[in-house]
Amino acid sequence: MADLAPQHVPHDPPPPPLSTRAALKSATRWRRQIFAITWIAYAGFYFARQAFSVAKLGILDDPAPGVHAVLTERVLGVIDAVYLAAYAVGQFLWGMWADRFGPRVVVVGGMLGAIVASCAMGVSSALLVFGGAMVVQGLSQSAGWAPLCKNMGNFFPVRERGKVLGVWSSNYAFGGLAAPPFLGWWAYSVFHSWHAAFFAGAATLAVVLGAFLLFQRDTPPEGAPAAAGSEEAAPAAEPAGKRAPLALYRETLQDRMVLTLGAAYFLLKPARYAILLWGPVIVSRRLPEVGKVGATLIPIAFGVAGVLAPVLIGWLSDTVFRSRRVPPCVLALGILTVALLLFMPLTATGSTGVMIAVLALIGLSVYAADAMISCVAAVDFGSAGGAGTAAGLVNGCGSVGAILGGLLPGFLAGTTLFYGFAGAALLAGLLMLPQWNRVPAPA
């Protein structure tokens, strides 16, 4: 009966704990991977977002009665406003969803929606199709920023976020820089049809979606500890997900700093979105001799400066101002105010060089303030488990302001438009000035 005795089943011994060196190596690898894939993901969103901006040049010159007579400048401005209204609604929603369910599911859903909406606009020029597709596009595009900011916050501590998120925030400037010439080349040089801009944007985002599914993680995987000193970067997604749906919003709305950031971002966003969505048209109006391709290429100066701006302001915030986020924002808003005031007088010279220089200065200052307010400060000043909610609320306020950036260029003359943007930038700086010495609690 000895063979009927209970048999001892050997168990594998638990894996030995990682050495300090191995733990740091693992943490560094995951940080680099998450930085790279989330940067690429948000830049990829812009290839679907910017397709409409590029297509406007062809739409306005399309001789087909169903296009030329229906999709006028004012109608295109209204469509932009519809898109931005949907974008604002999504910003208020998806940050909270990212806190409850994790960034991955929200971002993937947004990419799929953006691809479908772009394809719909590529196959039809009917007004109802454009309007409906732009609602879907707005809701889908807004699923990117707040969840990805939270994703980064789960891997990087407060003391590093100024520099790291400053560099990371160059993603949307790069997207705004690279997408228009890329889409314009496909639309006007290869296929000679504005419809191609939408298909090229959808195809690019589809490739990015595949990479995101392979390489992204919401939090450091089990057994892959965070880097030394980053204990505050550990995610609080699970407790946040068990709370009542509006509890995080109630907590976030009690923070005066978050509300100040939201108000300032509301005032800042119209200027950036006016140039982002109407840049080729604005350049074409001021410099009609440059043609469609030139009008698409000249706003690259705005995007190039925008790529550098978050890096510069993040470095200044962490090193010169010791994790204070407000001083570099106020300085950037002051420069932006002056640049907007001078835009119309300087570009009246008809000089391409002057146009490039002014757009570069506007891009440098507006993207610097934008990156610090919407990403670094929003994540820093959010509650422990509500970084996504705070980022979503601040960006939602900004997106409401962005509606004006999409709508007003179709209705107002250039002088009124840019002077209004200058006044709004000045007011944003004055709102933030009393918080000059405010620092995030963990810092």
Side-chain angles (χ1 to χ4, degrees), residues 176-314:
L177 164 68
F182 176 79
L183 301 175
W185 178 74
W186 281 106
Y188 302 121
S189 295
V190 177
F191 291 102
H192 305 286
S193 170
W194 56 264
H195 295 274
F198 294 106
F199 292 120
T204 304
L205 185 56
V207 173
V208 172
L209 171 59
F212 187 80
L213 289 170
L214 285 175
F215 298 111
Q216 186 270 349
R217 300 292 185 274
D218 283 347
T219 59
E222 188 176 354
S230 63
E231 64 278 359
E232 67 267 38
E238 183 177 356
K242 296 179 180 178
R243 296 163 70 178
L246 297 180
L248 286 172
Y249 263 115
R250 286 196 296 268
E251 181 179 343
T252 303
L253 287 170
Q254 293 173 0
D255 192 322
R256 181 173 295 180
M257 185 62 189
V258 173
L259 297 180
T260 300
L261 292 172
Y265 204 39
F266 167 80
L267 294 165
L268 171 67
K269 205 69 174 281
R272 183 168 79 85
Y273 262 70
I275 297 175
L276 188 67
L277 298 176
W278 288 87
V281 176
I282 290 172
V283 171
S284 182
R285 286 174 177 171
R286 303 297 289 172
L287 304 174
E289 67 278 3
V290 299
K292 289 187 179 64
V293 175
T296 303
L297 293 176
I298 287 175
I300 288 177
F302 179 76
V304 169
V307 171
L308 300 175
V311 180
L312 175 61
I313 198 170

Side-chain angles (χ1 to χ4, degrees), residues 24-377:
L24 288 174
K25 185 176 180 180
S26 176
T28 300
R29 181 181 72 83
W30 277 107
R31 285 179 166 198
R32 289 174 177 172
Q33 179 170 320
I34 294 303
F35 182 100
I37 193 59
T38 54
W39 190 96
I40 292 169
Y42 199 69
F45 269 105
Y46 269 74
F47 285 81
R49 181 185 302 192
Q50 289 291 93
F52 185 46
S53 176
V54 171
K56 284 175 184 173
L57 290 171
I59 291 171
L60 293 173
D61 286 345
D62 194 324
V67 178
H68 182 74
V70 176
L71 298 177
T72 63
E73 282 195 18
R74 290 193 175 189
V75 170
L76 296 181
V78 172
I79 291 174
D80 269 334
V82 168
Y83 159 80
L84 291 167
Y87 187 85
V89 171
Q91 288 282 10
F92 287 112
L93 292 175
W94 305 137
M96 181 176 65
W97 278 46
D99 283 331
R100 289 172 58 80
F101 305 115
R104 183 181 181 88
V105 63
V106 180
V107 175
V108 169
M111 288 185 179
L112 289 172
I115 292 168
V116 171
S118 292
C119 291
M121 297 180 75
V123 299
S124 175
S125 57
L127 181 58
L128 289 179
V129 173
F130 262 51
M134 286 298 271
V135 171
V136 176
Q137 188 71 259
L139 292 172
S140 301
Q141 290 285 336
S142 61
W145 185 253
L148 290 173
C149 284
K150 177 180 175 63
N151 204 166
M152 285 290 292
N154 286 344
F155 285 80
F156 293 90
V158 167
R159 67 177 181 274
E160 299 176 6
R161 286 181 189 163
K163 293 188 287 288
V164 172
L165 290 182
V167 176
W168 182 83
S169 295
S170 63
N171 51 19
Y172 65 90
F174 175 83
L177 164 68
F182 176 79
L183 301 175
W185 178 74
W186 281 106
Y188 302 121
S189 295
V190 177
F191 291 102
H192 305 286
S193 170
W194 56 264
H195 295 274
F198 294 106
F199 292 120
T204 304
L205 185 56
V207 173
V208 172
L209 171 59
F212 187 80
L213 289 170
L214 285 175
F215 298 111
Q216 186 270 349
R217 300 292 185 274
D218 283 347
T219 59
E222 188 176 354
S230 63
E231 64 278 359
E232 67 267 38
E238 183 177 356
K242 296 179 180 178
R243 296 163 70 178
L246 297 180
L248 286 172
Y249 263 115
R250 286 196 296 268
E251 181 179 343
T252 303
L253 287 170
Q254 293 173 0
D255 192 322
R256 181 173 295 180
M257 185 62 189
V258 173
L259 297 180
T260 300
L261 292 172
Y265 204 39
F266 167 80
L267 294 165
L268 171 67
K269 205 69 174 281
R272 183 168 79 85
Y273 262 70
I275 297 175
L276 188 67
L277 298 176
W278 288 87
V281 176
I282 290 172
V283 171
S284 182
R285 286 174 177 171
R286 303 297 289 172
L287 304 174
E289 67 278 3
V290 299
K292 289 187 179 64
V293 175
T296 303
L297 293 176
I298 287 175
I300 288 177
F302 179 76
V304 169
V307 171
L308 300 175
V311 180
L312 175 61
I313 198 170
W315 178 82
L316 286 172
S317 175
D318 274 356
T319 56
V320 177
F321 295 106
R322 299 184 178 181
S323 295
R324 286 184 295 161
R325 313 306 186 193
V326 175
C329 283
V330 172
L331 295 175
L333 289 167
I335 296 171
L336 176 62
T337 301
V338 174
L340 290 170
L341 285 173
L342 295 177
F343 179 83
M344 293 300 289
L346 291 177
T347 58
T349 62
S351 168
T352 301
V354 170
M355 174 67 78
I356 291 172
V358 177
L359 286 176
L361 183 59
I362 293 175
L364 184 69
S365 53
V366 75
Y367 274 107
D370 190 294
M372 188 56 60
I373 293 173
S374 67
C375 182
V376 183

Side-chain angles (χ1 to χ4, degrees), residues 381-415:
F381 290 106
S383 61
T389 302
L393 192 149
V394 171
N395 280 272
C397 293
S399 298
V400 174
I403 296 172
L404 299 176
L407 182 64
L408 294 179
F411 291 84
L412 297 181
T415 301

Side-chain angles (χ1 to χ4, degrees), residues 376-441:
V376 183
V379 172
D380 279 356
F381 290 106
S383 61
T389 302
L393 192 149
V394 171
N395 280 272
C397 293
S399 298
V400 174
I403 296 172
L404 299 176
L407 182 64
L408 294 179
F411 291 84
L412 297 181
T415 301
T416 304
L417 187 71
F418 279 88
Y419 283 3
F421 291 157
L426 177 61
L427 182 56
L430 293 176
L431 282 175
M432 296 192 70
L433 192 58
Q435 306 293 337
W436 183 271
N437 291 315
R438 184 78 175 264
V439 295

